[in-house]
Amino acid sequence: MAATDEARRLALAAADAAADKKAHDVIVLDVSDQLVITDVFVIASAANERQVGAIVDNVEEKLREAGRKPVRREGAREGRWVLLDFVDVVVHVQHSEERSFYGLERLWKDCPQIEFEARPVTDDADEVAEA
């Protein structure tokens, strides 16, 4: 069974929010055939702990605007790997070293990837100038 449309929509919103804060290697995986507890994983990397925190905060803010709050948040204190559980979507924001070491993509390589392309980040000043 494939991920629900709602799970896909939320996962892509989370991926966009991560990309907005310059997360790199953002991928979205449909894990619904492998896991009963969630439909989609969003995995994103950051260069340092401060950036991990900024990405996590932005994902939470954007999904809160979409009417969703995480039921669980783990790892925020250390800032190396933060997990946000939105039930049907789980967001993993990892320091680049943790991502390389744990290799979540390798563990879930049999799961289909959901197409995601980061939008270019624009400055507010650019948007005002274009309007």
Short mmCIF file of all heavy atoms in Angstrom, two decimals, residues 14-77:
data_model
loop_
_atom_site.label_atom_id
_atom_site.label_comp_id
_atom_site.label_asym_id
_atom_site.label_seq_id
_atom_site.Cartn_x
_atom_site.Cartn_y
_atom_site.Cartn_z
N ALA A 14 7.44 19.31 4.52
CA ALA A 14 8.58 19.21 5.44
C ALA A 14 9.90 19.29 4.68
O ALA A 14 10.84 19.97 5.12
CB ALA A 14 8.51 17.90 6.23
N ALA A 15 9.97 18.63 3.54
CA ALA A 15 11.19 18.68 2.72
C ALA A 15 11.46 20.09 2.24
O ALA A 15 12.60 20.57 2.26
CB ALA A 15 11.07 17.71 1.54
N ASP A 16 10.41 20.80 1.81
CA ASP A 16 10.56 22.20 1.39
C ASP A 16 11.06 23.06 2.55
O ASP A 16 11.93 23.91 2.38
CB ASP A 16 9.23 22.77 0.89
CG ASP A 16 8.96 22.46 -0.57
OD1 ASP A 16 9.92 22.23 -1.33
OD2 ASP A 16 7.77 22.44 -0.94
N ALA A 17 10.49 22.85 3.73
CA ALA A 17 10.89 23.63 4.91
C ALA A 17 12.35 23.38 5.25
O ALA A 17 13.09 24.30 5.60
CB ALA A 17 10.00 23.30 6.10
N ALA A 18 12.79 22.13 5.13
CA ALA A 18 14.20 21.80 5.39
C ALA A 18 15.10 22.47 4.35
O ALA A 18 16.11 23.08 4.70
CB ALA A 18 14.40 20.29 5.37
N ALA A 19 14.70 22.39 3.10
CA ALA A 19 15.50 23.00 2.03
C ALA A 19 15.57 24.52 2.18
O ALA A 19 16.60 25.12 1.87
CB ALA A 19 14.92 22.63 0.66
N ASP A 20 14.50 25.12 2.69
CA ASP A 20 14.49 26.57 2.91
C ASP A 20 15.58 27.01 3.88
O ASP A 20 16.04 28.14 3.83
CB ASP A 20 13.13 27.04 3.46
CG ASP A 20 12.06 27.09 2.39
OD1 ASP A 20 12.39 26.98 1.19
OD2 ASP A 20 10.88 27.22 2.76
N LYS A 21 15.98 26.12 4.78
CA LYS A 21 17.05 26.42 5.74
C LYS A 21 18.37 25.79 5.33
O LYS A 21 19.23 25.51 6.16
CB LYS A 21 16.64 25.96 7.15
CG LYS A 21 15.51 26.77 7.73
CD LYS A 21 15.91 28.22 7.89
CE LYS A 21 14.78 29.05 8.44
NZ LYS A 21 15.16 30.45 8.57
N LYS A 22 18.49 25.55 4.02
CA LYS A 22 19.74 25.08 3.40
C LYS A 22 20.15 23.66 3.83
O LYS A 22 21.34 23.33 3.88
CB LYS A 22 20.87 26.06 3.63
CG LYS A 22 20.60 27.42 2.99
CD LYS A 22 21.80 28.33 3.11
CE LYS A 22 21.72 29.61 2.40
NZ LYS A 22 20.62 30.37 2.19
N ALA A 23 19.16 22.82 4.13
CA ALA A 23 19.46 21.40 4.33
C ALA A 23 19.97 20.85 3.01
O ALA A 23 19.59 21.32 1.93
CB ALA A 23 18.20 20.65 4.75
N HIS A 24 20.85 19.88 3.08
CA HIS A 24 21.32 19.29 1.83
C HIS A 24 20.98 17.80 1.80
O HIS A 24 20.65 17.20 2.81
CB HIS A 24 22.81 19.57 1.60
CG HIS A 24 23.71 19.13 2.71
ND1 HIS A 24 24.26 17.89 2.78
CD2 HIS A 24 24.15 19.79 3.81
CE1 HIS A 24 25.00 17.78 3.86
NE2 HIS A 24 24.95 18.92 4.51
N ASP A 25 21.03 17.26 0.59
CA ASP A 25 20.69 15.84 0.36
C ASP A 25 19.34 15.47 0.95
O ASP A 25 19.20 14.44 1.62
CB ASP A 25 21.78 14.92 0.93
CG ASP A 25 23.13 15.14 0.28
OD1 ASP A 25 23.17 15.49 -0.91
OD2 ASP A 25 24.14 14.98 0.97
N VAL A 26 18.34 16.30 0.70
CA VAL A 26 16.99 16.02 1.21
C VAL A 26 16.36 14.94 0.34
O VAL A 26 16.31 15.08 -0.88
CB VAL A 26 16.11 17.29 1.19
CG1 VAL A 26 14.72 16.99 1.71
CG2 VAL A 26 16.76 18.41 2.00
N ILE A 27 15.93 13.86 0.98
CA ILE A 27 15.22 12.82 0.25
C ILE A 27 13.92 12.48 0.98
O ILE A 27 13.81 12.66 2.19
CB ILE A 27 16.06 11.55 0.03
CG1 ILE A 27 16.41 10.87 1.34
CG2 ILE A 27 17.30 11.83 -0.79
CD1 ILE A 27 16.93 9.46 1.14
N VAL A 28 12.96 11.99 0.22
CA VAL A 28 11.66 11.61 0.74
C VAL A 28 11.41 10.17 0.32
O VAL A 28 11.43 9.86 -0.87
CB VAL A 28 10.55 12.55 0.20
CG1 VAL A 28 9.21 12.19 0.80
CG2 VAL A 28 10.90 14.01 0.47
N LEU A 29 11.21 9.28 1.30
CA LEU A 29 11.03 7.86 1.03
C LEU A 29 9.65 7.38 1.45
O LEU A 29 9.20 7.67 2.57
CB LEU A 29 12.07 7.03 1.79
CG LEU A 29 13.53 7.26 1.44
CD1 LEU A 29 14.42 6.46 2.38
CD2 LEU A 29 13.80 6.85 -0.01
N ASP A 30 8.99 6.62 0.59
CA ASP A 30 7.71 6.00 0.92
C ASP A 30 8.03 4.67 1.59
O ASP A 30 8.42 3.70 0.94
CB ASP A 30 6.91 5.78 -0.37
CG ASP A 30 5.55 5.17 -0.11
OD1 ASP A 30 5.35 4.55 0.95
OD2 ASP A 30 4.68 5.30 -1.00
N VAL A 31 7.88 4.62 2.90
CA VAL A 31 8.20 3.42 3.69
C VAL A 31 6.94 2.65 4.09
O VAL A 31 7.00 1.74 4.90
CB VAL A 31 9.04 3.76 4.94
CG1 VAL A 31 10.39 4.33 4.55
CG2 VAL A 31 8.31 4.71 5.86
N SER A 32 5.81 3.01 3.50
CA SER A 32 4.52 2.44 3.92
C SER A 32 4.43 0.93 3.70
O SER A 32 3.73 0.25 4.46
CB SER A 32 3.37 3.15 3.20
OG SER A 32 3.50 3.00 1.79
N ASP A 33 5.12 0.38 2.71
CA ASP A 33 5.08 -1.07 2.49
C ASP A 33 5.95 -1.81 3.50
O ASP A 33 5.75 -3.01 3.73
CB ASP A 33 5.56 -1.42 1.08
CG ASP A 33 4.50 -1.14 0.03
OD1 ASP A 33 3.31 -1.04 0.39
OD2 ASP A 33 4.86 -1.02 -1.16
N GLN A 34 6.92 -1.13 4.11
CA GLN A 34 7.85 -1.76 5.04
C GLN A 34 7.49 -1.55 6.50
O GLN A 34 7.86 -2.35 7.34
CB GLN A 34 9.27 -1.22 4.79
CG GLN A 34 9.77 -1.39 3.38
CD GLN A 34 10.01 -2.83 3.01
OE1 GLN A 34 10.45 -3.61 3.82
NE2 GLN A 34 9.69 -3.18 1.77
N LEU A 35 6.82 -0.44 6.80
CA LEU A 35 6.51 -0.09 8.19
C LEU A 35 5.01 0.08 8.37
O LEU A 35 4.33 0.64 7.51
CB LEU A 35 7.20 1.21 8.59
CG LEU A 35 8.71 1.17 8.74
CD1 LEU A 35 9.24 2.58 9.00
CD2 LEU A 35 9.10 0.26 9.89
N VAL A 36 4.52 -0.32 9.52
CA VAL A 36 3.11 -0.13 9.84
C VAL A 36 2.91 1.21 10.55
O VAL A 36 1.84 1.81 10.47
CB VAL A 36 2.62 -1.28 10.76
CG1 VAL A 36 1.17 -1.10 11.15
CG2 VAL A 36 2.83 -2.61 10.07
N ILE A 37 3.96 1.72 11.20
CA ILE A 37 3.82 2.88 12.07
C ILE A 37 3.88 4.23 11.38
O ILE A 37 3.53 5.24 11.96
CB ILE A 37 4.87 2.84 13.20
CG1 ILE A 37 6.28 2.81 12.61
CG2 ILE A 37 4.63 1.66 14.12
CD1 ILE A 37 7.39 2.97 13.62
N THR A 38 4.34 4.27 10.13
CA THR A 38 4.42 5.54 9.40
C THR A 38 4.40 5.27 7.90
O THR A 38 4.64 4.14 7.46
CB THR A 38 5.67 6.35 9.82
OG1 THR A 38 5.54 7.68 9.33
CG2 THR A 38 6.95 5.73 9.28
N ASP A 39 4.14 6.31 7.12
CA ASP A 39 4.10 6.18 5.67
C ASP A 39 5.35 6.70 4.97
O ASP A 39 5.78 6.15 3.97
CB ASP A 39 2.90 6.95 5.10
CG ASP A 39 1.57 6.23 5.29
OD1 ASP A 39 1.59 5.05 5.73
OD2 ASP A 39 0.53 6.83 5.01
N VAL A 40 5.89 7.82 5.48
CA VAL A 40 6.96 8.51 4.75
C VAL A 40 8.06 8.95 5.70
O VAL A 40 7.78 9.42 6.80
CB VAL A 40 6.40 9.75 4.00
CG1 VAL A 40 7.49 10.44 3.20
CG2 VAL A 40 5.24 9.37 3.09
N PHE A 41 9.30 8.78 5.25
CA PHE A 41 10.47 9.35 5.91
C PHE A 41 10.95 10.53 5.09
O PHE A 41 11.04 10.44 3.86
CB PHE A 41 11.63 8.36 5.97
CG PHE A 41 11.59 7.35 7.08
CD1 PHE A 41 12.55 6.36 7.12
CD2 PHE A 41 10.63 7.37 8.07
CE1 PHE A 41 12.55 5.41 8.13
CE2 PHE A 41 10.62 6.43 9.09
CZ PHE A 41 11.59 5.44 9.11
N VAL A 42 11.29 11.61 5.76
CA VAL A 42 12.02 12.72 5.16
C VAL A 42 13.38 12.72 5.83
O VAL A 42 13.46 12.73 7.06
CB VAL A 42 11.31 14.07 5.36
CG1 VAL A 42 12.14 15.21 4.79
CG2 VAL A 42 9.92 14.04 4.75
N ILE A 43 14.44 12.69 5.04
CA ILE A 43 15.79 12.68 5.58
C ILE A 43 16.54 13.88 5.02
O ILE A 43 16.54 14.11 3.81
CB ILE A 43 16.54 11.38 5.21
CG1 ILE A 43 15.72 10.15 5.65
CG2 ILE A 43 17.92 11.35 5.85
CD1 ILE A 43 16.24 8.84 5.10
N ALA A 44 17.16 14.65 5.92
CA ALA A 44 17.89 15.86 5.51
C ALA A 44 19.17 15.96 6.32
O ALA A 44 19.22 15.51 7.46
CB ALA A 44 17.02 17.10 5.72
N SER A 45 20.17 16.58 5.73
CA SER A 45 21.47 16.75 6.40
C SER A 45 21.75 18.22 6.64
O SER A 45 21.28 19.09 5.91
CB SER A 45 22.60 16.19 5.53
OG SER A 45 22.46 14.81 5.38
N ALA A 46 22.59 18.44 7.66
CA ALA A 46 23.04 19.80 7.99
C ALA A 46 24.52 19.74 8.36
O ALA A 46 25.01 18.71 8.84
CB ALA A 46 22.23 20.35 9.15
N ALA A 47 25.20 20.85 8.16
CA ALA A 47 26.64 20.90 8.38
C ALA A 47 27.03 20.98 9.85
O ALA A 47 28.12 20.57 10.22
CB ALA A 47 27.23 22.08 7.62
N ASN A 48 26.13 21.52 10.70
CA ASN A 48 26.47 21.68 12.11
C ASN A 48 25.20 21.64 12.96
O ASN A 48 24.09 21.64 12.44
CB ASN A 48 27.26 22.98 12.34
CG ASN A 48 26.51 24.19 11.84
OD1 ASN A 48 25.37 24.45 12.24
ND2 ASN A 48 27.13 24.96 10.95
N GLU A 49 25.39 21.61 14.27
CA GLU A 49 24.28 21.49 15.20
C GLU A 49 23.32 22.67 15.13
O GLU A 49 22.11 22.51 15.24
CB GLU A 49 24.78 21.31 16.64
CG GLU A 49 25.45 19.98 16.91
CD GLU A 49 26.93 19.93 16.52
OE1 GLU A 49 27.45 20.89 15.90
OE2 GLU A 49 27.56 18.92 16.84
N ARG A 50 23.86 23.86 14.95
CA ARG A 50 23.00 25.06 14.86
C ARG A 50 22.07 24.97 13.65
O ARG A 50 20.89 25.29 13.72
CB ARG A 50 23.85 26.32 14.78
CG ARG A 50 23.00 27.58 14.73
CD ARG A 50 23.83 28.82 14.73
NE ARG A 50 24.44 28.94 16.05
CZ ARG A 50 25.39 29.80 16.34
NH1 ARG A 50 25.86 30.61 15.42
NH2 ARG A 50 25.89 29.87 17.55
N GLN A 51 22.61 24.50 12.53
CA GLN A 51 21.79 24.36 11.33
C GLN A 51 20.74 23.26 11.51
O GLN A 51 19.62 23.39 11.05
CB GLN A 51 22.66 24.09 10.10
CG GLN A 51 21.85 24.13 8.82
CD GLN A 51 22.67 23.83 7.58
OE1 GLN A 51 23.80 23.35 7.67
NE2 GLN A 51 22.10 24.09 6.43
N VAL A 52 21.12 22.16 12.18
CA VAL A 52 20.14 21.12 12.47
C VAL A 52 18.95 21.75 13.21
O VAL A 52 17.79 21.54 12.85
CB VAL A 52 20.76 19.97 13.32
CG1 VAL A 52 19.66 19.05 13.87
CG2 VAL A 52 21.75 19.16 12.49
N GLY A 53 19.24 22.55 14.23
CA GLY A 53 18.18 23.20 15.00
C GLY A 53 17.32 24.13 14.16
O GLY A 53 16.09 24.15 14.30
N ALA A 54 17.95 24.90 13.29
CA ALA A 54 17.20 25.82 12.43
C ALA A 54 16.28 25.06 11.48
O ALA A 54 15.13 25.46 11.26
CB ALA A 54 18.17 26.71 11.65
N ILE A 55 16.77 23.96 10.94
CA ILE A 55 15.96 23.16 10.03
C ILE A 55 14.77 22.56 10.77
O ILE A 55 13.62 22.63 10.31
CB ILE A 55 16.81 22.05 9.37
CG1 ILE A 55 17.86 22.67 8.44
CG2 ILE A 55 15.93 21.04 8.63
CD1 ILE A 55 18.95 21.72 8.00
N VAL A 56 15.03 21.99 11.94
CA VAL A 56 13.96 21.39 12.75
C VAL A 56 12.90 22.43 13.10
O VAL A 56 11.70 22.18 12.96
CB VAL A 56 14.56 20.74 14.02
CG1 VAL A 56 13.48 20.41 15.03
CG2 VAL A 56 15.36 19.49 13.65
N ASP A 57 13.34 23.60 13.55
CA ASP A 57 12.39 24.66 13.91
C ASP A 57 11.53 25.06 12.71
O ASP A 57 10.32 25.26 12.85
CB ASP A 57 13.13 25.88 14.45
CG ASP A 57 13.74 25.64 15.82
OD1 ASP A 57 13.40 24.63 16.48
OD2 ASP A 57 14.59 26.47 16.23
N ASN A 58 12.14 25.16 11.53
CA ASN A 58 11.38 25.56 10.35
C ASN A 58 10.40 24.48 9.91
O ASN A 58 9.27 24.78 9.53
CB ASN A 58 12.33 25.92 9.19
CG ASN A 58 11.66 26.80 8.17
OD1 ASN A 58 10.98 27.77 8.51
ND2 ASN A 58 11.85 26.48 6.90
N VAL A 59 10.81 23.22 9.98
CA VAL A 59 9.89 22.12 9.65
C VAL A 59 8.70 22.15 10.59
O VAL A 59 7.55 22.07 10.15
CB VAL A 59 10.62 20.76 9.70
CG1 VAL A 59 9.61 19.61 9.62
CG2 VAL A 59 11.65 20.65 8.57
N GLU A 60 8.96 22.28 11.89
CA GLU A 60 7.85 22.33 12.86
C GLU A 60 6.92 23.51 12.57
O GLU A 60 5.70 23.36 12.61
CB GLU A 60 8.39 22.44 14.28
CG GLU A 60 8.85 21.13 14.85
CD GLU A 60 9.18 21.22 16.31
OE1 GLU A 60 10.07 22.02 16.67
OE2 GLU A 60 8.55 20.49 17.10
N GLU A 61 7.49 24.66 12.29
CA GLU A 61 6.68 25.86 12.03
C GLU A 61 5.81 25.68 10.80
O GLU A 61 4.61 25.97 10.83
CB GLU A 61 7.59 27.07 11.86
CG GLU A 61 6.84 28.35 11.56
CD GLU A 61 7.77 29.55 11.33
OE1 GLU A 61 8.88 29.56 11.89
OE2 GLU A 61 7.36 30.44 10.59
N LYS A 62 6.39 25.20 9.70
CA LYS A 62 5.63 25.05 8.46
C LYS A 62 4.54 23.99 8.59
O LYS A 62 3.44 24.18 8.07
CB LYS A 62 6.57 24.70 7.29
CG LYS A 62 7.57 25.78 6.97
CD LYS A 62 6.92 27.10 6.60
CE LYS A 62 7.99 28.12 6.25
NZ LYS A 62 7.49 29.45 6.06
N LEU A 63 4.83 22.90 9.28
CA LEU A 63 3.80 21.87 9.42
C LEU A 63 2.74 22.29 10.44
O LEU A 63 1.58 21.90 10.31
CB LEU A 63 4.42 20.52 9.78
CG LEU A 63 5.24 19.88 8.65
CD1 LEU A 63 5.60 18.46 8.99
CD2 LEU A 63 4.55 19.96 7.31
N ARG A 64 3.12 23.12 11.41
CA ARG A 64 2.12 23.68 12.33
C ARG A 64 1.15 24.57 11.55
O ARG A 64 -0.06 24.54 11.79
CB ARG A 64 2.81 24.47 13.45
CG ARG A 64 1.87 24.82 14.60
CD ARG A 64 2.57 25.49 15.78
NE ARG A 64 3.69 24.70 16.29
CZ ARG A 64 4.98 25.08 16.22
NH1 ARG A 64 5.30 26.24 15.69
NH2 ARG A 64 5.93 24.31 16.70
N GLU A 65 1.69 25.34 10.60
CA GLU A 65 0.83 26.17 9.75
C GLU A 65 -0.12 25.30 8.92
O GLU A 65 -1.21 25.74 8.56
CB GLU A 65 1.68 27.05 8.83
CG GLU A 65 2.42 28.15 9.55
CD GLU A 65 3.42 28.88 8.66
OE1 GLU A 65 3.50 28.59 7.44
OE2 GLU A 65 4.15 29.74 9.19
N ALA A 66 0.30 24.07 8.63
CA ALA A 66 -0.54 23.13 7.87
C ALA A 66 -1.46 22.35 8.80
O ALA A 66 -2.15 21.42 8.37
CB ALA A 66 0.35 22.18 7.07
N GLY A 67 -1.46 22.70 10.11
CA GLY A 67 -2.36 22.07 11.05
C GLY A 67 -1.82 20.82 11.72
O GLY A 67 -2.58 20.06 12.32
N ARG A 68 -0.51 20.59 11.66
CA ARG A 68 0.07 19.39 12.26
C ARG A 68 1.15 19.75 13.27
O ARG A 68 1.95 20.65 13.05
CB ARG A 68 0.69 18.50 11.18
CG ARG A 68 -0.27 18.03 10.13
CD ARG A 68 -1.33 17.08 10.66
NE ARG A 68 -0.78 15.83 11.12
CZ ARG A 68 -0.64 14.75 10.37
NH1 ARG A 68 -1.03 14.77 9.11
NH2 ARG A 68 -0.12 13.66 10.88
N LYS A 69 1.16 19.02 14.39
CA LYS A 69 2.20 19.16 15.40
C LYS A 69 2.84 17.80 15.60
O LYS A 69 2.15 16.78 15.51
CB LYS A 69 1.61 19.63 16.74
CG LYS A 69 1.14 21.06 16.72
CD LYS A 69 0.47 21.54 17.98
CE LYS A 69 0.78 20.79 19.23
NZ LYS A 69 0.12 21.34 20.43
N PRO A 70 4.14 17.76 15.89
CA PRO A 70 4.75 16.45 16.11
C PRO A 70 4.24 15.82 17.41
O PRO A 70 4.04 16.52 18.40
CB PRO A 70 6.25 16.76 16.20
CG PRO A 70 6.33 18.20 16.59
CD PRO A 70 5.10 18.86 16.03
N VAL A 71 4.04 14.51 17.37
CA VAL A 71 3.64 13.81 18.59
C VAL A 71 4.87 13.47 19.42
O VAL A 71 4.76 13.19 20.61
CB VAL A 71 2.83 12.53 18.29
CG1 VAL A 71 1.51 12.88 17.63
CG2 VAL A 71 3.62 11.54 17.45
N ARG A 72 6.04 13.51 18.78
CA ARG A 72 7.28 13.22 19.48
C ARG A 72 8.43 13.95 18.79
O ARG A 72 8.46 14.08 17.59
CB ARG A 72 7.53 11.71 19.47
CG ARG A 72 8.61 11.28 20.44
CD ARG A 72 8.70 9.78 20.54
NE ARG A 72 9.33 9.27 19.32
CZ ARG A 72 8.99 8.13 18.73
NH1 ARG A 72 8.04 7.39 19.20
NH2 ARG A 72 9.61 7.75 17.65
N ARG A 73 9.36 14.42 19.63
CA ARG A 73 10.57 15.11 19.14
C ARG A 73 11.73 14.56 19.95
O ARG A 73 11.74 14.68 21.17
CB ARG A 73 10.42 16.61 19.35
CG ARG A 73 11.57 17.42 18.85
CD ARG A 73 11.35 18.89 19.18
NE ARG A 73 12.19 19.72 18.35
CZ ARG A 73 12.52 20.95 18.64
NH1 ARG A 73 12.06 21.50 19.75
NH2 ARG A 73 13.29 21.64 17.85
N GLU A 74 12.69 13.96 19.27
CA GLU A 74 13.81 13.35 19.97
C GLU A 74 15.14 13.87 19.42
O GLU A 74 15.25 14.14 18.23
CB GLU A 74 13.77 11.83 19.83
CG GLU A 74 12.58 11.20 20.50
CD GLU A 74 12.60 9.69 20.44
OE1 GLU A 74 13.64 9.10 20.08
OE2 GLU A 74 11.57 9.09 20.75
N GLY A 75 16.13 13.97 20.31
CA GLY A 75 17.49 14.33 19.90
C GLY A 75 17.78 15.81 19.81
O GLY A 75 18.88 16.19 19.44
N ALA A 76 16.82 16.65 20.15
CA ALA A 76 17.00 18.09 19.99
C ALA A 76 18.11 18.64 20.89
O ALA A 76 18.82 19.56 20.52
CB ALA A 76 15.69 18.84 20.25
N ARG A 77 18.27 18.06 22.06
CA ARG A 77 19.28 18.55 23.01
C ARG A 77 20.69 18.42 22.43
O ARG A 77 21.49 19.32 22.51
CB ARG A 77 19.17 17.82 24.34
CG ARG A 77 20.22 18.30 25.34
CD ARG A 77 20.00 17.73 26.71
NE ARG A 77 18.79 18.32 27.26
CZ ARG A 77 17.94 17.68 28.04
NH1 ARG A 77 18.14 16.44 28.38
NH2 ARG A 77 16.87 18.29 28.50
#
